[in-house]
Amino acid sequence: MAEYRFVAGFLAAPVALYAVLVVSPFLQTFYYSLTDWTGYTADFSMVGLANYARLLEDELFLTALWHNVVLLLVLPLVTLGLGLFFSFMLNVGGRRRGGAVVGGVGGSRFYKVVYFFPQVLSVAIVAVLWQYVYSPTDGLLNGVLSGVGLESLEQNWLGDPDLAMACVMAVMVWANVGFYVVLFSAAMASVPREIYEAALLDGAGRATTFFRVTLPLIRDTVQTGWVYMGIMALDAFAYVYIMTTNQGGPDNSTLVLPVYLYKRAFRDGQAGYATAVGVALLAVTMVFAVAAMALGRRRDRIEF
């Protein structure tokens, strides 16, 4: 008991601080979601679950939720897929040199720096940069297409409801893939070279080596990256708010839950309803995290 009291004494302050700064805001959010609070006055009344019933009938909420689901399904798959491909080529997929069992492509260190470069920039800078790239009048993308004689492919990229969401997702992939290249490269570097040597002696090619050797050994890292990227896909606030017209346009084609929450709270003065949207977003995030961890769990762990 003395040992437990000693440990509890050290944990009391951090747990109390966590409860006040982290748990308490969640509880307050749920409380305010049961009210008609405007966010601008201290006066409000309880409305029970009326805000949550309203969510089910709100077309804009359902549209934003669908866009978040699309991001959740597409963004981690594309980003992690590219991250795995590039990291495998930089660490294992090149020619063997100097008697090494495996090796990356030439100049792999330089490529890692290039891939990681977007991580140095803030999200706001990335969004503003690509907003100018997508500009239909003087943007870099249309300028390049015009310069190579492909004027027919020029588009109003962020002004077309059919293209705007794809353009935002492309930017999010570009901004985040470099982080996973470095993350997966570190995981691959920890795999013993003797395992690759045994696979090569058995006649395994690059594709077989990747799917039968590399991927199973770094599965835990990929799972963690999947959860992290999924949570980022459920956010996407800064990209949508800065890049798109009317913060979610055109015609709400890029509207996501965080942007919808922001508009309801600060533009429409419906803080109580906005907190209900936030609780719904929290629920979706928790369901995704639990599902991703459960699907990624395995009974047979590979150790090396």
Side-chain angles (χ1 to χ4, degrees):
M1 293 300 297
E3 294 180 356
Y4 285 119
R5 286 196 297 268
F6 178 77
V7 174
F10 277 96
L11 292 179
V15 170
L17 194 63
Y18 182 84
V20 171
L21 298 180
V22 179
V23 178
S24 175
F26 281 105
L27 297 177
Q28 292 180 47
T29 299
F30 181 74
Y31 172 74
Y32 285 120
S33 71
L34 304 176
T35 70
D36 60 355
W37 184 41
T38 63
Y40 297 111
T41 66
D43 300 326
F44 58 84
S45 58
M46 299 295 296
V47 297
L49 299 177
N51 287 329
Y52 293 97
R54 179 182 169 188
L55 289 177
L56 302 178
E57 301 175 354
D58 190 342
E59 293 185 0
L60 285 180
F61 169 79
L62 296 177
T63 298
L65 177 61
W66 170 246
H67 291 159
N68 272 115
V69 171
V70 172
L71 287 171
L72 184 60
L73 295 176
V74 176
L75 201 61
L77 183 63
V78 176
T79 304
L80 299 185
L82 290 174
L84 284 169
F85 173 76
F86 290 139
S87 58
F88 182 77
M89 294 303 297
L90 292 177
N91 293 274
V92 184
R95 296 181 178 180
R96 289 177 288 175
R97 295 180 298 272
V101 177
V102 292
V105 297
S108 59
R109 293 182 179 178
F110 171 75
Y111 291 132
K112 289 178 183 179
V113 174
V114 172
Y115 290 141
F116 192 76
F117 174 73
Q119 290 292 313
V120 179
L121 305 176
S122 69
V123 174
I125 293 176
V126 169
V128 172
L129 174 67
W130 279 92
Q131 185 182 40
Y132 284 106
V133 171
Y134 284 133
S135 174
T137 55
D138 55 356
L140 176 62
L141 184 54
N142 280 345
V144 171
L145 293 174
S146 177
V148 297
L150 297 176
E151 292 87 354
S152 60
L153 297 180
E154 294 183 26
Q155 303 287 338
N156 184 7
W157 302 100
L158 295 176
D160 188 339
D162 297 327
L163 297 175
M165 179 57 75
C167 292
V168 173
M169 285 193 290
V171 174
M172 295 183 70
V173 171
W174 177 85
N176 292 283
V177 70
F179 172 79
Y180 294 100
V181 170
V182 176
L183 178 66
F184 296 149
S185 294
M188 292 179 188
S190 66
V191 177
R193 297 306 179 187
E194 292 80 4
I195 299 178
Y196 288 118
E197 184 176 7
L200 294 174
L201 290 175
D202 289 338
R206 290 181 179 177
T208 303
T209 301
F210 174 76
F211 287 105
R212 296 298 182 89
V213 178
T214 304
L215 191 57
L217 292 176
I218 66 169
R219 182 175 176 178
D220 291 339
T221 304
V222 176
Q223 180 185 357
T224 302
W226 192 279
V227 173
Y228 181 76
M229 196 64 210
I231 294 174
M232 181 174 294
L234 288 171
D235 184 3
F237 173 82
Y239 294 100
V240 173
Y241 190 84
I242 296 174
M243 292 179 59
T244 60
T245 58
N246 298 322
Q247 293 81 44
D251 195 23
N252 296 315
S253 60
T254 59
L255 185 65
V256 291
L257 287 179
V259 174
Y260 185 58
L261 184 157
Y262 179 86
K263 286 184 174 182
R264 285 298 190 185
F266 299 102
R267 185 194 66 182
D268 302 334
Q270 300 179 13
Y273 184 65
T275 53
V277 176
V279 172
L281 179 59
L282 172 64
V284 173
T285 304
M286 295 302 296
V287 169
F288 164 75
V290 172
M293 297 299 290
L295 292 175
R297 186 180 302 140
R298 59 185 178 186
R299 297 179 180 177
D300 55 324
R301 302 188 63 86
I302 301 176
E303 298 182 356
F304 54 88

